[in-house]
Amino acid sequence: MKYYSTNKKVEGVSLEDAVVKGLAEDKGLFMPNSIKALPQTFFDTIETLSFQEIAYTVGDAFFGEDVEAEALKKIVYETLNFDTPIVPVADNIYSLELYHGPTLAFKDVGGRFMSRLLGYFIQKQAKTKVNVLVATSGDTGSAVANGFLGVEGIHVYVLYPKGLVSPIQECQFTTLGQNITALEVDGTFDDCQALVKSAFMDAELNAHMKLTSANSINVARFLPQSFYYFYAYAQLKKLNKNKEVVMCVPSGNFGNITAGLFAKRMGLPIKRFIAANNRNDIFLQYLQTGQYNPRPSISTIANAMDVGDPSNFARVLDLYENSHEAIKAEISGVSYDDEQIAVALKTCFEETDYLLDPHGACGYQALKDGLRLNETGVFLETAHPAKFLETVERIIGQKVDIPQKLQEFMKGEKQSLELSKDFAGFKKYLLSL
Ligand SMILES: *Cc1c(COP(=O)(O)O)cnc(C)c1O
C-alpha cells in the first residue's frame, strides 16, 4: 500500500517509509491510498470474535500487504493483550474503557503497536538505529516510553515541561532507563513540541541521526486505534444494542476520532460521531463557521486535550475532501469549561457510582446532552481517573484508589536530563550522541 501526503506535494511512499519518517517531506500527514471495506461476513459474526481476532482482521486490511501475516499476528497478539470493555453507565450510555493497558490510557494501544511495527521495519534495515522524539504533556510520553522499552534499534527521547506534568505521569517515563531518555525542558508543552519540530526540520541533525515521531501523526500509532471501535461495536451487538450507534470521543489532536472515522469507512455501522472538547474548541468553531482558526492552547483540567491546532484535522479534511457539509453531517462537536467538566464528573459519580476521569467526563456529558431517541451512545474513557489524582479527588471530595500498576512506577528512581527551551542546546545534545 502506498501512503500519500495530505499536502500532496510529494510522491506516495511505502508503509515502511511512512512509519520511519512520521511526517511527509512537505509537512503533510500520511494517508493510505485506499481504505479497504471489510466483508459483510465479518460484521455478521463480529460478536463472536475476541479483541485480538478483530484487531488482526482490521490490522490485516491496513498492513497486510506490507507485513508478513505471521509477523503481524505476533505484533497484534503481543501488544494488544489487554481488554477494552464497554461498561454501562447510564441509560443507553456506555463507557469504552481504554485504560487497561500498562500506563492506563488509550495511547497504550497505538504506542505499543507502533513500537513493534517500527521495530519490525528496523530489523529489516540492518544496523540503522532510529531515534524517536516525543513531546508530551503527560500521557503520550508514558505510553510511548513504555511501548518502546527494550525494543532493539530504537532510542526514545521524551521531552516534557519541567514542573507541568503530574508526579504520577512523570514517574511513568523518567524511571525506565534502558533505551528511554527523559528530557526535562525548562518551558511549556508548546516549547517541547517546538523543539521536536525544529529537530525534524534541521538538515544537519537529520544527516547525523535518523529521527522519527511517535505522536498520532504517525500512521502506525493512529491506525491501530480503530481496532477498539470495532470491538466496542461487537460488544454492543452481543447486547443487541448495535442499531443506532453514536461514538463520542474526547478529542485533543483528533487522532483517536480520526481512527473511528476510518473504521466507519471500512464499513463499521456507526451512525455518527461527537467530538467532545474542553475549552479548546477550535473544531467546534470550525463546524459552526466553516473557518479553521488555530490558536494557542488554553490550560484546563482535561489537559491531554489542551490543543490549539489539532494535528489530525488535516486528515479529517482529507477524508471528507474538504467538504464542511460532509464533515458536519457525520461529526458534531461540544465544548465544556472546567466547571462543567467537574460537575459532570461529580454528578456521574454521585448518581451512578461510576468514576470518570476529566477527559471521559467530557465524553459522558456530551452523550447526556446530545443522545437522541433510539440511539446508543459509547464514550471513549481515555484514561484511568487515578492518572489525574489531585483533580479527581478534589472534585469528588474523597480519595481515589491507585491501581497497582501505577504504584509500581512510583517506586522507581527518577532519571532525567535538564534542558533549556532553546533549540541550540537541544541540537548540541543530539549531535553529541
Ligand atoms: C491524548 C489524550 C486525549 C486526546 O486524544 P487525541 O487522539 O489527541 O484526540 C484524550 N484523553 C486522554 C486521556 C489523552 O491522553
Side-chain angles (χ1 to χ4, degrees):
M1 176 88 69
K2 286 275 184 206
Y3 286 78
Y4 66 90
S5 160
T6 51
N7 285 344
K8 304 194 171 90
K9 294 198 184 101
V10 288
E11 292 278 300
V13 303
S14 64
L15 173 65
E16 176 168 346
D17 281 347
V19 175
V20 173
K21 287 189 166 100
L23 198 64
E25 250 137 50
D26 61 2
K27 310 281 176 273
L29 275 72
F30 287 117
M31 292 284 275
N33 262 355
S34 68
I35 301 174
K36 288 185 194 158
L38 291 164
Q40 189 53 44
T41 48
F42 170 64
F43 295 106
D44 287 344
T45 55
I46 194 168
E47 72 279 10
T48 65
L49 304 176
S50 69
F51 179 42
Q52 288 166 323
E53 287 167 334
I54 289 172
Y56 178 67
T57 304
V58 180
D60 183 51
F62 287 133
F63 308 121
E65 286 175 26
D66 305 293
V67 182
E68 290 115 47
E70 274 316 302
L72 186 60
K73 207 165 245 177
K74 200 160 170 234
I75 294 175
V76 166
Y77 280 77
E78 287 178 10
T79 59
L80 306 178
N81 54 358
F82 51 88
D83 199 13
T84 59
I86 61 165
V87 175
V89 177
D91 280 349
N92 297 319
I93 297 180
Y94 293 82
S95 167
L96 171 57
E97 291 184 350
L98 299 176
Y99 56 65
H100 297 283
T103 73
L104 293 99
F106 83 89
K107 291 187 178 81
D108 279 329
V109 172
R112 284 162 70 79
F113 191 95
M114 178 189 165
S115 71
R116 297 294 302 275
L117 191 62
L118 185 58
Y120 167 82
F121 285 128
I122 286 168
Q123 265 176 9
K124 294 174 106 189
Q125 320 174 336
K127 280 209 294 233
T128 47
K129 178 160 182 188
V130 171
N131 300 280
V132 171
L133 301 183
V134 59
T136 187
S137 56
D139 275 348
T140 303
S142 50
V144 169
N146 283 275
F148 282 85
L149 184 64
V151 177
E152 215 152 304
I154 304 175
H155 200 103
V156 175
Y157 297 87
V158 179
L159 288 85
Y160 72 103
K162 184 184 165 98
L164 297 179
V165 302
S166 76
I168 284 192
Q169 288 179 321
E170 188 175 12
C171 67
Q172 292 179 81
F173 50 81
T174 57
T175 58
L176 300 170
Q178 298 184 54
N179 60 329
I180 311 298
T181 301
L183 300 172
E184 190 170 5
V185 176
D186 197 1
T188 63
F189 168 68
D190 288 337
D191 294 322
C192 296
Q193 186 120 16
L195 285 176
V196 170
K197 280 194 181 151
S198 304
F200 288 141
M201 284 187 273
D202 190 280
E204 194 184 353
L205 263 182
N206 283 278
H208 176 72
M209 64 206 299
K210 239 187 180 142
L211 297 175
T212 191
S213 116
N215 290 90
S216 54
I217 56 169
N218 199 305
V219 289
R221 222 202 84 189
F222 108 90
L223 286 175
Q225 293 173 176
S226 62
F227 301 162
Y228 43 71
Y229 287 90
F230 288 88
Y231 184 53
Y233 176 83
Q235 295 175 77
L236 288 175
K237 194 169 175 217
K238 227 181 230 171
L239 302 171
N240 204 14
K241 284 280 196 181
N242 58 323
K243 296 300 173 301
E244 293 188 37
V245 179
V246 179
M247 288 284 179
C248 180
V249 190
S251 295
N253 264 321
F254 280 67
N256 216 0
I257 196 168
T258 305
L261 301 174
F262 269 69
K264 185 167 161 68
R265 283 294 164 95
M266 297 171 91
L268 187 67
I270 297 175
K271 183 181 169 197
R272 62 190 184 95
F273 289 85
I274 304 174
N277 281 127
N278 57 28
R279 282 181 60 214
N280 296 280
D281 63 349
I282 293 84
F283 183 73
L284 177 61
Q285 296 292 334
Y286 165 78
L287 290 175
Q288 287 168 348
T289 65
Q291 303 292 318
Y292 181 69
N293 290 321
R295 33 167 226 263
S297 62
I298 309 164
S299 116
T300 76
I301 57 170
N303 64 7
M305 310 198 304
D306 294 351
V307 179
D309 185 4
S311 45
N312 285 287
F313 183 68
R315 285 196 169 112
V316 177
L317 277 181
D318 194 84
L319 263 184
Y320 293 91
E321 291 163 350
N322 293 302
S323 165
H324 180 239
E325 282 308 312
I327 292 173
K328 269 203 317 190
E330 288 192 351
I331 317 170
S332 61
V334 289
S335 154
Y336 297 113
D337 65 23
D338 279 1
E339 180 59 32
Q340 291 169 311
I341 296 171
V343 169
L345 197 154
K346 190 172 192 319
T347 311
C348 178
F349 184 61
E350 285 173 357
E351 287 176 358
T352 71
D353 229 15
Y354 190 81
L355 188 58
L356 297 159
D357 93 292
H359 307 80
C362 295
Y364 167 80
Q365 192 59 40
L367 287 175
K368 273 274 182 191
D369 293 341
L371 203 63
R372 301 173 199 146
L373 199 67
N374 299 326
E375 288 179 338
T376 300
V378 177
F379 65 94
L380 277 58
E381 178 44 305
T382 47
H384 191 285
K387 290 201 87 170
F388 302 92
L389 197 68
E390 297 81 5
T391 305
V392 174
E393 288 184 341
R394 180 175 50 75
I395 292 170
I396 62 169
Q398 62 186 73
K399 287 274 166 213
V400 171
D401 289 337
I402 304 176
Q404 190 61 31
K405 278 185 222 165
L406 273 185
Q407 292 183 25
E408 291 302 321
F409 284 114
M410 293 160 83
K411 288 184 197 147
E413 193 187 330
K414 173 178 162 179
Q415 305 165 44
S416 70
L417 197 83
E418 297 208 24
L419 278 183
S420 83
K421 64 179 178 188
D422 35 85
F423 181 60
F426 180 47
K427 179 172 172 179
K428 194 168 154 215
Y429 166 70
L430 290 177
L431 285 173
S432 74
L433 296 168

